[in-house]
Amino acid sequence: MAMIDNGPPDFRQYLPNIIKENYGKWEYHEHVRPGVLKHVGPAGELYSVRAGEPRLMSVDAIRDICDVADEFCDGHLRFTSRNNIEFLTPDESKVEPIIERCQELGYPVGGTHHSLSNIVHTQGWVHCHTPASDASGIVKAVMDDLYEYFVTDELPNKLHIAMACCLNMCGAAHCSDISIVAIHRTVPRIDHDTVRKTSEIPSLVACCPTGAIRPDPKIKSVSVVDERCMYCGNCYTMSPGMHIMDAENDGLAIMVGGKVSTARTDPSFSRMVIPFLPNNPPRWPEVTEAVRHIVEVWASNARKGERLGEWIERIGWERFFSISGIPFSDKLIDDYIFSRETFRTSSAFKF
Amino acid sequence: MTESSKTPQLDELESGPWPSFVTEIKRAAEKSEMSADLLGLLERSYHDKIGHWKHGGIVGVKGYGGGVVGRYTDLPEEFPNVSEFHTMRIAAPSGWFYDTDALRELCDIWERHGSGITNVHGSTGDLIFLGTKTEELQPTFDELSEAGYDLGGSGSDLRSPSCCVGPGRCEYACYDTLDMCYDITNEFQDELHRPMWPYKSKIKMSGCANDCVAAAARADISVIGTWRDALTIDQDEVKRYAEGGLPIREAVVEKCPTRCLRYDQETGELTVNADECTRCMHCVNVMGRAVKQGKEKGATILLGAKSTIVKSAFMSWVLVPFMKMEAPYDEFKDLVNRIWDWWDENGKTRERIGETVYRIGMGKFLRDVGLEAVPQMVYRPRANPYVFWPQEEILQEAAGQEGEPA
């Protein structure tokens, strides 16, 4: 029988020599140009060339990348937490050839400093069982549209976008500058036969965060109190008889202003500014247009160094809505669990 | 075109400057019938505007409860090659450092046994092998294991810990994130591979408060590097930044959230009132050659982050303001074991640790796991008098008073 619990491979075997020598002793880094970082330590310099990848990759594409790393980086490379490749070399003269090869292969070089980094996202229709939309397709459409912001670095600060394909909001979408969240808006349609055959009724009842699901002993299934359901789809994860996907009424919400670093201001959640946009494959034009509009409004109004959420908090959310022209509505006022802290308790606001 | 395409909507996503996942699926489809059917099924989803994956039975490999995510299509007659299409999560090296031998070896294994489609990487940090049949799971694992690799976590277990690039390539790393991630992942192999808890649990390690792996947003146990002495400032380097055109007052001093920095325009000196500094990293980020972190480094441990499902999103909150982070990380491991034991005892099904603590109360949690309450844990104290007084404390107090001389 095969060994179990090997654990992950030891990262040390994969480090290039310059990293082994400068390990823990790095002194400073410079941003050479969009997509190129130079780190300096006592043993010398390391250049990292960052390129965006599509997250979903064929093994042949990985082999292509390996060819580049073999040719220019002694076979050393890494990936970032945001689906970027980083080619690592101590030799400055290799930087341009790496960039050229990346361009030939169709991998854009950028995503550093004050640029848009690659989008963190979920599986969507490619492999998830509860999606309200696709993820890869929307990400491709948005990155095509915002491409210029990935390969340049002239935004007020970095821009992190995340895409979650249902209300679970996998992928840290809840703390991103902009998040695109696919949503359901209608109560689950119950297939009582499937519920009876496949589900544990007490667990199904207990899983509902709002207590909207009640046992119906007569039919050995459940019923849903429609007004209490907020369409999270938790019940569908517990029982395949609770059909939450709705081709006509599912769509996308846009949230903005989240961050995770503590620089200047504490980590913050993304806040909903557009409650619904239609699910419109293959290019989702309403979504790409809304995201671009938010990026442009931020880029032309924020002070240098302000993350999207920092800019909005400085001017006030009421100003964000008037400047951006995005309509405010009752959907944007929280009525879930922790709503009260978002209500304004002061008459000091802007008209 | 002589023949009209079977995937008109997906074809549309092959144009444009950003690399296309559709091109990747098509490339894999040249060698794999599974990938060809995935392409067809995905086009159907684009047409129907609905997902076509459903729940499956539990699938996995011998000796493991996690690491494989079962998937079956609801259209098996039309797309028989993805009637079973399970994901395998492969434990990635710390910091996602690879060499090409390792990547090629992994690609070869996956090409022999699966769709040839991957995610590099999944959000948790695993390398994802996307889609294979049930009968291929064990042979894939056997080959992976033989070559020294392993599965990551899934289900109600410890999800694969992950970390930032740390001392491998960053001057801001306050502890060795890469080593710690490797060490604790090996320490907690049982928790990682055999689900036994109310729900998933995550540990993420960032070397500083820039938090490049979003530990504060998504990890039940977030380990964020910091220091507890004063920033050090190199005045010569400060002058060099000023000469280079950095508007120090505007870009650094005025953006300091605690206003603990002072810049004397005449002498060109930058000074810090260390007692007021919250180590937010802004000044270090902007002028790192002049302003360095303190020397006494370690990490803050925060608890409870998770995304929205089910009781809203939580950000991690401070549990241990400062802990030294050095191998073999015994103090950290001991704390984590106490936290998990408490959660196992008190948590409900599908309740993350943060939700359990929120439901039961921080006071009780702290008493049960043996941590002292300190002001760093909260922004401000409570505004109501409804303390759940432990009655035994009151009895002890009364007994103590009786015993004292009049």
Side-chain angles (χ1 to χ4, degrees):
Chain A
M1 190 174 142
M3 271 282 292
I4 59 168
D5 296 348
N6 275 336
D10 190 339
F11 64 97
R12 291 173 187 89
Q13 65 189 305
Y14 303 135
L15 300 177
N17 278 335
I18 184 68
I19 286 188
K20 285 182 187 157
E21 288 162 13
N22 276 331
Y23 195 91
K25 293 183 245 168
W26 296 102
E27 287 158 359
Y28 66 93
H29 72 273
E30 287 171 6
H31 185 244
V32 180
R33 52 166 279 188
V36 181
L37 299 167
K38 174 172 124 178
H39 286 81
V40 181
E45 299 167 351
L46 168 72
Y47 291 85
S48 304
V49 179
R50 182 179 294 178
E53 40 106 334
R55 183 177 187 264
L56 187 157
M57 295 185 78
S58 64
V59 290
D60 282 333
I62 297 174
R63 290 172 180 139
D64 288 345
I65 289 167
C66 288
D67 289 343
V68 180
D70 281 338
E71 189 175 347
F72 301 110
C73 309
D74 279 331
H76 295 289
L77 71 167
R78 70 177 290 267
F79 296 86
T80 74
S81 59
R82 305 191 73 84
N83 311 315
N84 300 298
I85 314 156
E86 286 182 344
F87 295 98
L88 308 168
T89 175
D91 184 350
E92 189 181 1
S93 72
K94 301 280 171 62
V95 170
E96 280 305 322
I98 293 171
I99 293 172
E100 277 167 33
R101 285 295 301 277
C102 285
Q103 280 161 352
E104 280 165 30
L105 290 169
Y107 296 112
V109 172
T112 51
H113 199 233
H114 291 180
S115 64
L116 163 65
S117 190
N118 200 351
I119 299 183
V120 167
H121 67 95
T122 55
Q123 298 287 20
W125 289 333
V126 172
H127 212 241
C128 182
H129 72 288
T130 62
S133 183
D134 192 27
S136 309
I138 294 178
V139 166
K140 162 73 173 147
V142 169
M143 288 307 284
D144 276 343
D145 189 55
L146 297 180
Y147 183 81
E148 72 213 67
Y149 295 112
F150 183 86
V151 296
T152 58
D153 66 329
E154 281 154 23
L155 288 167
N157 200 329
K158 67 172 92 168
L159 174 60
H160 285 176
I161 303 183
M163 160 87 222
C165 60
C166 85
L167 294 85
N168 277 318
M169 290 175 71
C170 297
H174 60 297
C175 288
S176 298
D177 294 291
I178 301 177
S179 51
I180 305 162
V181 181
I183 56 166
H184 307 291
R185 296 189 300 162
T186 51
V187 297
R189 288 147 297 283
I190 307 174
D191 173 352
H192 293 295
D193 204 38
T194 306
V195 171
R196 269 193 295 274
K197 279 185 194 148
T198 63
S199 317
E200 222 180 285
I201 303 288
S203 309
L204 178 54
V205 170
C207 85
C208 178
T210 61
I213 300 177
R214 299 195 171 154
D216 189 340
K218 274 189 206 148
I219 55 169
K220 293 186 179 151
S221 179
V222 296
S223 62
V224 173
V225 184
D226 291 3
E227 317 79 77
R228 295 181 83 164
C229 177
M230 49 44 163
Y231 330 110
C232 71
N234 211 27
C235 56
Y236 183 69
T237 294
M238 299 302 284
S239 167
M242 306 293 285
H243 293 287
I244 190 73
M245 284 187 279
D246 179 342
E248 294 306 311
N249 297 298
D250 289 346
L252 290 311
I254 307 289
M255 303 171 83
V256 307
K259 74 193 262 283
V260 293
S261 86
T262 64
R264 304 171 301 281
T265 54
D266 279 346
S268 58
F269 290 128
S270 322
R271 305 278 169 181
M272 187 185 277
V273 292
I274 301 177
F276 180 77
L277 293 168
N279 204 5
N280 205 356
R283 283 270 168 196
W284 287 272
E286 296 85 356
V287 174
T288 56
E289 193 187 325
V291 172
R292 169 170 280 273
H293 176 59
I294 291 165
V295 172
E296 285 175 351
V297 169
W298 165 59
S300 53
N301 286 279
R303 290 178 186 157
K304 203 169 171 350
E306 277 179 331
R307 295 280 291 267
L308 177 51
E310 291 176 274
W311 166 61
I312 298 176
E313 286 287 337
R314 176 170 61 79
I315 62 168
W317 287 84
E318 70 275 35
R319 284 286 287 149
F320 169 76
F321 284 98
S322 64
I323 289 174
S324 67
I326 294 172
F328 193 80
S329 80
D330 55 342
K331 314 292 184 305
L332 304 180
I333 299 178
D334 195 351
D335 49 12
Y336 195 45
I337 300 173
F338 302 104
S339 60
R340 196 197 52 87
E341 65 180 36
T342 64
F343 300 162
R344 193 188 302 273
T345 55
S346 151
S347 57
F349 53 80
K350 297 173 185 173
F351 285 108
Chain B
M1 291 272 274
T2 49
E3 196 185 337
S4 68
S5 168
K6 289 178 185 157
T7 56
Q9 295 215 45
L10 291 176
D11 294 350
E12 169 55 35
L13 287 169
E14 288 198 274
S15 64
W18 194 253
S20 170
F21 70 102
V22 174
T23 306
E24 292 302 309
I25 299 176
K26 286 187 177 178
R27 215 170 158 185
E30 288 168 18
K31 297 180 181 174
S32 159
E33 289 179 333
M34 283 186 245
S35 299
D37 270 2
L38 175 68
L39 192 71
L41 185 75
L42 188 58
E43 178 74 16
R44 178 64 75 83
S45 280
Y46 272 61
H47 177 268
D48 297 348
K49 297 209 265 188
I50 213 158
H52 282 296
W53 298 105
K54 59 173 191 171
H55 297 260
I58 291 170
V59 288
V61 301
K62 274 181 257 168
Y64 286 66
V68 179
V69 181
R71 280 288 179 274
Y72 303 82
T73 178
D74 63 357
L75 301 171
E77 284 82 23
E78 286 171 76
F79 302 99
N81 296 303
V82 289
S83 61
E84 298 163 352
F85 198 65
H86 314 307
T87 296
M88 301 183 82
R89 295 182 173 173
I90 316 303
S94 289
W96 303 286
F97 280 101
Y98 290 92
D99 65 20
T100 51
D101 289 343
L103 281 175
R104 288 182 200 280
E105 187 173 38
L106 288 160
C107 287
D108 292 348
I109 293 172
W110 188 227
E111 193 167 72
R112 280 196 285 278
H113 295 288
S115 66
I117 295 174
T118 69
N119 288 149
V120 195
H121 293 79
S123 297
T124 292
D126 294 311
L127 174 67
I128 305 295
F129 282 0
L130 196 78
T132 195
K133 298 176 193 316
T134 310
E135 66 192 32
E136 290 291 346
L137 293 171
Q138 191 66 43
T140 313
F141 175 77
D142 291 347
E143 271 204 59
L144 283 167
S145 171
E146 190 67 29
Y149 302 99
D150 198 359
L151 299 183
S154 70
S156 295
D157 63 9
L158 171 63
R159 299 301 179 85
S160 301
S162 67
C163 65
C164 69
V165 72
R169 200 198 53 196
C170 184
E171 64 272 27
Y172 303 152
C174 292
Y175 65 97
D176 192 338
T177 53
L178 299 167
D179 178 66
M180 181 177 171
C181 185
Y182 181 65
D183 184 301
I184 65 160
T185 307
N186 282 307
E187 173 83 14
F188 296 126
Q189 283 288 297
D190 203 30
E191 288 81 355
L192 179 68
H193 287 141
R194 285 162 278 279
M196 55 182 115
W197 288 327
Y199 202 12
K200 65 179 119 175
S201 186
K202 298 184 177 182
I203 303 176
K204 305 283 171 198
M205 285 142 281
S206 281
C208 80
N210 285 332
D211 197 2
C212 288
V213 289
R218 62 192 178 124
D220 300 272
I221 296 166
S222 321
V223 186
I224 300 194
T226 194
W227 62 95
R228 59 177 172 188
D229 50 350
L231 291 170
T232 62
I233 301 176
D234 181 331
Q235 300 301 342
D236 292 337
E237 291 288 351
V238 172
K239 291 187 180 78
R240 226 160 274 150
Y241 275 106
E243 283 157 21
L246 179 73
I248 293 176
R249 190 182 298 277
E250 190 192 343
V252 182
V253 175
E254 286 173 8
K255 296 219 167 168
C256 169
T258 62
R259 296 288 187 270
C260 69
L261 290 170
R262 242 186 128 77
Y263 182 57
D264 188 323
Q265 210 96 35
E266 276 172 26
T267 62
E269 291 217 341
L270 182 72
T271 49
V272 62
N273 177 355
D275 289 341
E276 303 304 323
C277 171
T278 52
R279 307 166 315 283
C280 83
M281 286 296 293
H282 174 71
C283 55
V284 179
N285 288 338
V286 177
M287 44 192 306
R289 295 179 75 165
V291 185
K292 304 271 183 200
Q293 300 160 324
K295 293 187 164 44
E296 205 185 332
K297 291 174 178 171
T300 301
I301 315 293
L302 303 93
L303 182 90
K306 54 179 283 295
S307 190
T308 49
I309 194 89
V310 176
K311 302 269 183 199
S312 301
F314 285 17
M315 210 93 75
S316 276
W317 57 84
V318 174
L319 199 61
V320 180
F322 186 85
M323 189 185 278
K324 277 284 198 198
M325 278 298 158
E326 282 159 6
Y329 313 101
D330 286 337
E331 191 183 356
F332 176 78
K333 290 171 186 170
D334 177 56
L335 174 67
V336 167
N337 277 318
R338 270 152 43 214
I339 292 170
W340 282 337
D341 282 348
W342 184 87
W343 177 46
D344 213 12
E345 190 99 339
N346 293 282
K348 294 181 183 172
T349 306
R350 281 174 71 74
E351 190 177 59
R352 298 277 287 270
I353 177 80
E355 289 167 318
T356 311
V357 173
Y358 183 74
R359 176 170 58 80
I360 292 177
M362 263 285 270
K364 178 155 172 53
F365 169 74
L366 292 176
R367 290 190 295 275
D368 288 352
V369 300
L371 283 170
E372 195 190 342
V374 293
Q376 285 79 8
M377 290 173 176
V378 293
Y379 281 117
R380 47 194 75 85
R382 69 198 303 150
N384 60 64
Y386 307 135
V387 178
F388 291 98
W389 285 98
Q391 292 300 298
E392 63 276 13
E393 253 180 53
I394 293 172
L395 290 172
Q396 273 169 14
E397 203 176 274
Q401 275 165 2
E402 271 169 30
E404 282 168 22

